[in-house]
Amino acid sequence: MVHHHHSERDHYLLGLAPLSLLVCVIELAAGFLSGSLALITDGFHSGIDYVENRLNAYIAHRATLVSNVVRLRKWGFAISLLLIGITSGLMLYEAILKLAMSTTEVLPLWTPAIAAFALAVGLRQLWLHLKVPKAYKNINHWAQWLHLITDVSASITALIGTGLSHMRGFERADSWAVIGIVGIIWLRIFVAIYEVYIYRSPTSNPRWHCRH
């Protein structure tokens, strides 16, 4: 029975990976073709999301083999937070770059459709994430939840940016939205760091010892 649940755990994590890779390829291609920084940034973010899905699947497997589960999950948690910080930093860089540009360029009409597709995939991943049994919701699951929230936020920002680029006077609205979203993301990261590495939640909490 334990091995059966472990297979479900791996299946869930590895099942998210192809979705992230698909979005990465489509958004990068569309971004470079259209010149959309929002799509390029979101595409790179989806690529890092793919890496994290594979990482969490590996940790879920190793947690069944090692004795110090807490230490393993803390390392995985730290790597996940680092990936979240990198991707949100890319979003911030994009926003500052757009604000610094003296000229604006209207994107092709099909670019919002690409951003909407990425958002739909992100929401699908969130739905799959919520279906995970409560017993599997450890700190690595939590870190991936933060990453998926970041992913959806980036897709929403890309959708707003590509959509408003067609409206006169709103060319830079997406950049300010990105700055606000990044601020919220980094606040979440700081809260997570405080709880895990400073406050140090009691190791009796089941989230530290999930071995599935």
Side-chain angles (χ1 to χ4, degrees):
M1 182 64 69
V2 173
H3 290 290
H4 173 68
H5 287 306
H6 174 56
S7 297
E8 289 180 356
R9 171 73 172 161
D10 276 350
H11 176 72
Y12 147 69
L13 288 168
L14 296 177
L16 293 179
L19 294 176
S20 299
L21 185 59
L22 175 64
V23 172
C24 172
V25 172
I26 291 177
E27 284 198 304
L28 285 179
F32 283 114
L33 285 174
S34 66
S36 170
L37 289 176
L39 290 180
I40 293 173
T41 301
D42 201 26
F44 277 118
H45 178 269
S46 296
I48 295 178
D49 195 22
Y50 168 79
V51 173
E52 189 187 23
N53 288 332
R54 303 290 301 192
L55 170 67
N56 280 322
Y58 172 76
I59 291 175
H61 172 66
R62 290 293 301 171
T64 64
L65 304 176
V66 300
S67 57
N68 195 338
V69 180
V70 173
R71 181 178 181 182
L72 174 66
R73 292 198 181 283
K74 276 191 174 184
W75 273 106
F77 187 78
I79 294 174
S80 294
L81 290 184
L82 178 62
L83 292 176
I84 296 172
I86 290 173
T87 53
S88 58
L90 289 173
M91 293 169 61
L92 182 62
Y93 171 77
E94 171 209 350
I96 294 174
L97 187 62
K98 279 190 173 182
L99 290 175
M101 292 172 63
S102 58
T103 58
T104 57
E105 180 181 359
V106 177
L107 300 176
L109 291 175
W110 50 265
T111 51
I114 301 296
F117 169 75
L119 177 59
V121 173
L123 292 174
R124 168 67 176 173
Q125 290 178 307
L126 278 177
W127 181 74
L128 291 173
H129 200 75
L130 288 172
K131 289 179 62 180
V132 173
K134 186 177 181 180
Y136 299 151
K137 294 184 178 180
N138 49 63
I139 60 172
N140 302 119
H141 179 275
W142 180 33
Q144 192 175 36
W145 168 258
L146 291 177
H147 194 99
L148 288 173
I149 290 296
T150 307
D151 198 12
V152 170
S153 299
S155 296
I156 291 174
T157 301
L159 180 60
I160 293 174
T162 53
L164 290 182
S165 70
H166 303 284
M167 300 176 61
R168 186 177 182 83
F170 289 91
E171 294 87 353
R172 299 187 177 185
D174 62 315
S175 297
W176 292 110
V178 169
I179 293 174
I181 291 173
V182 170
I184 295 173
I185 291 169
W186 284 358
L187 177 61
R188 288 197 186 106
I189 292 176
F190 290 140
V191 170
I193 291 174
Y194 173 78
E195 178 174 338
V196 175
Y197 299 103
I198 300 177
Y199 171 70
R200 297 182 180 179
S201 298
T203 54
S204 59
N205 190 324
R207 72 164 52 163
W208 296 91
H209 294 283
C210 175
R211 301 180 63 84
H212 301 283

